[in-house]
Amino acid sequence: MTQDDLLARAQTWLAEDPDSETREELAKLIEAGETDELAARFAGTLQFGTAGLRGELGAGPMRMNRSVVIRAAAGLAAYLRAKGQGEGLVVIGYDARYKSADFARDTAAVMIGAGLRAALLPRPLPTPVLAYAIRHLGAVAGVEVTASHNPPRDNGYKVYLGDGSQIVPPADAEIAAEIDAVRSLEDVPRPADGWETLGDEVLDAYLARTDAVLTPGSPRGVRTVYTAMHGVGKDVLTAAFARAGFPAPALVAEQAEPDPAFPTVAFPNPEEPGAMDLAFEAARAVAPDIVIANDPDADRCAVAVPDPRVEGGWRMLRGDEVGALLAAHLVHKGARGVFAESIVSSSLLGRIAEAAGVGYEETLTGFKWIARVDGLRYGYEEALGYCVDPEGVRDKDGITAALLVAELASELKEQDRTLTDLLDDLAVAHGLHATDQLSVRVEDLSIIANAMSALRSRPPVHLAGLTVTTAEDLTKGTDSLPPTDGLRYYLEGDYKARVIVRPSGTEPKLKCYLEVVIPVADASELAAARAKGAEVLSAIKRDLSDAAGL
């Protein structure tokens, strides 16, 4: 693109931008002759994929803004019309990030202009409330405006179809084609009204449904500290806990209310270093049984437990540990059906399912795949996502997961036991499944491409002294999985291990998921097994980094 072409494209975009803030931002870039910045914003278009849209807020087609959202909504409306659903209902939810309410209203206006019906949730609410509302209201599609746990400067646009689960191929490509067909915003009718703003009836129905995950009469005595991580989870989670009869959680006051600036955390993700510091500080003051955290749109649930062996006395459980705990609890409650997980999650779930005589299935990464498993009863992935009531919410749900964790902790408390004790039992029964992650955040996406290329052209033969017995390039698919950009290695030696490498679908990260299984004869061997697991995982990290050129 020549400089003249770049400026012409920017001026065309500026002329139809409906947002005064991004118009002003773009006008200043044009006036100042900021060609490098303009080139970055007009190098293409923000791609609509199986995660919908997600990106940095700002002016131009490579940023999240009202112009991009209006085009996305118009593409979705055209897709629904092409599928014979042009008179159906689209329900729209949103979080408390910058511009989320604007993007939600724009989506409603586009749907009405296209002849569909539209309903907005009454205020910023957790993503699982939107996922629930789609099926509850009989909608043909749903949109959630959220960037989940991304940095403050980001926002996103997540699309669900009428089954209440997120889109998967080929729907994503078909919607993307309709978005590309939108020539000008002037071609997209956007009436000033005509949509419905829902009352609290849908939220009340969702909260009534949360009771279904608990066993009537089960213990409810666990004491918790809770953080909403500056997101929208607090009111819904505390209402759910109150309905269920749990003691009111002690709130992390500094993070309790929605704040799109996320002022107390570098990244509003419970997994990120430092994100839980305030929660642990509150826990040391209150001395609860557990700490629970949601991410900003409350579809994820993090759990921490007292641990005198670590500095500060509190330890975050890994997503795989919570996934195994919830699976064991559901088995204990008599759950039947299929237990499912993404391929990057711990193989311990398969062991638990096999021992319990329930079905088990692996899927590609993402709840869009887990939610579609036939006969699903429980699904999880290691990134703190848990689906414990698939008939109510066909997506991860940080509220119902928190309730089920609280019920399990309450039952164990009555027996003078803890979540840590149950993890020990699972390790003795099935082997210690130690997991870790090598996650590399980049500014330059070519680093990720180069690392994947290096591993494909020169696959590792050994990692941490273990022999790579199987190396799979997942772009070719497998007998049970469709193609995806990833690599999977199985290792054997003194221990069995597994490594999966993939680019993140939502962030500029290369993610490597590591697992080693250490046999354990009895509880007396657990400490040594954990030390050995940590040692092997550390060595795999080092050797994998070298092999990938990182």
Side-chain angles (χ1 to χ4, degrees):
M1 197 183 335
T2 68
Q3 186 166 326
D4 287 345
D5 290 339
L6 175 62
L7 290 172
R9 191 172 179 204
Q11 291 284 6
T12 300
W13 186 275
L14 177 65
E16 64 174 24
D17 189 339
D19 188 318
S20 60
E21 290 183 22
T22 46
R23 274 203 315 274
E24 181 181 355
E25 175 187 324
L26 184 54
K28 286 180 177 178
L29 290 174
I30 294 171
E31 184 180 348
E34 296 279 0
T35 52
D36 287 348
E37 181 63 22
L38 288 169
R41 291 167 183 248
F42 287 86
T45 58
L46 203 58
Q47 290 302 298
F48 185 93
T50 49
L53 293 167
R54 195 176 292 187
E56 186 175 346
L57 291 162
M62 289 294 289
R63 299 287 186 267
M64 280 295 297
N65 50 65
R66 291 183 61 198
S67 297
V68 165
V69 164
I70 290 166
R71 283 179 163 80
L76 174 59
Y79 168 85
L80 293 171
R81 288 200 307 271
K83 296 296 181 183
Q85 298 175 318
E87 297 180 356
L89 171 69
V90 178
V91 60
I92 303 150
Y94 56 103
D95 66 11
R97 284 178 177 266
Y98 296 119
K99 298 290 184 181
S100 285
D102 294 336
F103 295 166
R105 282 192 295 270
D106 281 333
T107 300
V110 170
M111 295 303 156
I112 296 300
L116 289 108
R117 294 177 292 127
L120 281 173
L121 292 186
R123 57 185 172 280
L125 286 168
T127 293
V129 178
L130 180 277
Y132 170 82
I134 295 166
R135 300 175 79 195
H136 178 69
L137 297 174
V140 296
V143 171
E144 177 70 15
V145 181
T146 181
S148 189
H149 55 275
N150 276 39
R153 65 179 182 270
D154 289 0
N155 212 328
Y157 198 81
K158 188 183 292 188
V159 176
Y160 298 74
L161 295 182
D163 62 356
S165 55
Q166 297 174 51
I167 55 169
V168 295
D172 58 338
E174 292 173 8
I175 295 170
E178 296 286 5
I179 295 170
D180 290 342
V182 178
R183 304 184 121 204
S184 167
L185 293 193
E186 293 181 4
D187 300 332
V188 183
R190 302 195 308 279
D193 54 29
W195 57 87
E196 178 185 5
T197 299
L198 299 167
D200 279 345
E201 298 83 4
V202 169
L203 176 59
D204 292 342
Y206 167 81
L207 285 169
R209 177 77 201 185
T210 62
D211 297 346
V213 306
L214 303 174
T215 301
S218 62
R220 309 283 164 94
V222 71
R223 295 177 304 110
T224 62
V225 159
Y226 170 72
T227 176
M229 204 66 66
H230 298 296
V232 297
K234 181 202 68 171
D235 290 346
V236 179
L237 182 132
T238 54
F241 269 53
R243 285 180 60 96
F246 289 106
L251 302 178
V252 179
E254 301 94 328
Q255 299 174 335
E257 299 303 328
D259 187 336
F262 304 106
T264 68
V265 290
F267 287 94
N269 177 355
E271 292 181 294
E272 292 283 349
M276 294 291 288
D277 287 355
L278 287 173
F280 293 160
E281 185 179 313
R284 286 189 286 273
V286 175
D289 301 302
I290 57 173
V291 171
I292 289 176
N294 287 136
D295 67 336
D297 69 327
D299 63 350
R300 288 173 169 84
C301 175
V303 182
V305 296
D307 188 340
R309 296 170 298 180
V310 300
E311 184 180 351
W314 282 85
R315 178 175 78 87
M316 269 277 288
L317 296 181
R318 292 190 171 277
D320 285 320
E321 292 177 304
V322 178
L325 288 168
L326 290 175
H329 186 44
L330 287 167
V331 165
H332 175 68
K333 286 158 67 81
R336 309 305 297 170
V338 178
F339 284 24
E341 65 178 341
S342 60
I343 58 171
V344 299
S345 304
S346 172
S347 60
L348 177 56
L349 182 68
R351 305 279 184 93
I352 293 170
E354 181 182 13
V358 300
Y360 169 74
E361 191 166 327
E362 276 189 322
T363 75
L364 293 183
T365 305
F367 262 83
K368 56 184 176 281
W369 300 108
I370 293 171
R372 285 179 162 75
V373 169
D374 287 339
L376 180 68
R377 176 59 187 86
Y378 168 63
Y380 99 91
E381 63 181 6
E382 53 72 46
L384 309 182
Y386 314 95
C387 175
V388 301
D389 178 25
E391 292 307 306
V393 175
R394 285 201 166 272
D395 199 5
K396 54 188 176 291
D397 183 345
I399 306 297
T400 49
L403 285 172
L404 206 58
V405 167
E407 181 184 58
L408 171 58
S410 296
E411 289 189 359
L412 291 168
K413 184 177 180 179
E414 285 207 344
Q415 304 162 19
D416 290 326
R417 304 182 74 234
T418 65
L419 297 177
T420 304
D421 293 329
L422 181 53
L423 285 171
D424 289 349
D425 292 348
L426 293 172
V428 171
H430 305 293
L432 177 72
H433 288 62
T435 61
D436 201 356
Q437 191 178 126
L438 171 63
S439 181
V440 182
R441 184 181 293 272
V442 300
E443 294 290 335
D444 180 0
L445 291 177
S446 68
I447 294 172
I448 294 176
N450 292 340
M452 295 297 289
S453 177
L455 290 171
R456 285 191 168 103
S457 60
R458 299 181 301 279
V461 177
H462 296 92
L463 294 171
L466 304 175
T467 301
V468 178
T469 56
T470 305
E472 295 176 296
D473 187 342
L474 298 177
T475 55
K476 302 170 183 175
T478 71
D479 291 342
S480 59
L481 297 171
T484 188
D485 187 8
L487 301 163
R488 178 165 61 179
Y489 307 113
Y490 289 100
L491 301 90
E492 290 194 19
D494 292 339
Y495 311 101
K496 291 189 175 184
R498 185 200 66 193
V499 174
I500 295 175
V501 184
R502 58 180 284 273
S504 170
T506 56
E507 297 178 89
K509 283 183 176 182
L510 181 68
K511 303 184 86 170
C512 310
Y513 305 84
L514 323 175
E515 178 178 55
V516 60
V517 182
I518 311 291
V520 179
D522 56 52
S524 67
E525 297 183 2
L526 281 170
R530 287 198 173 92
K532 177 53 71 174
E535 176 188 324
V536 175
L537 289 171
S538 178
I540 292 176
K541 269 190 185 181
R542 180 194 65 234
D543 293 352
L544 186 64
S545 292
D546 291 345
L550 297 172

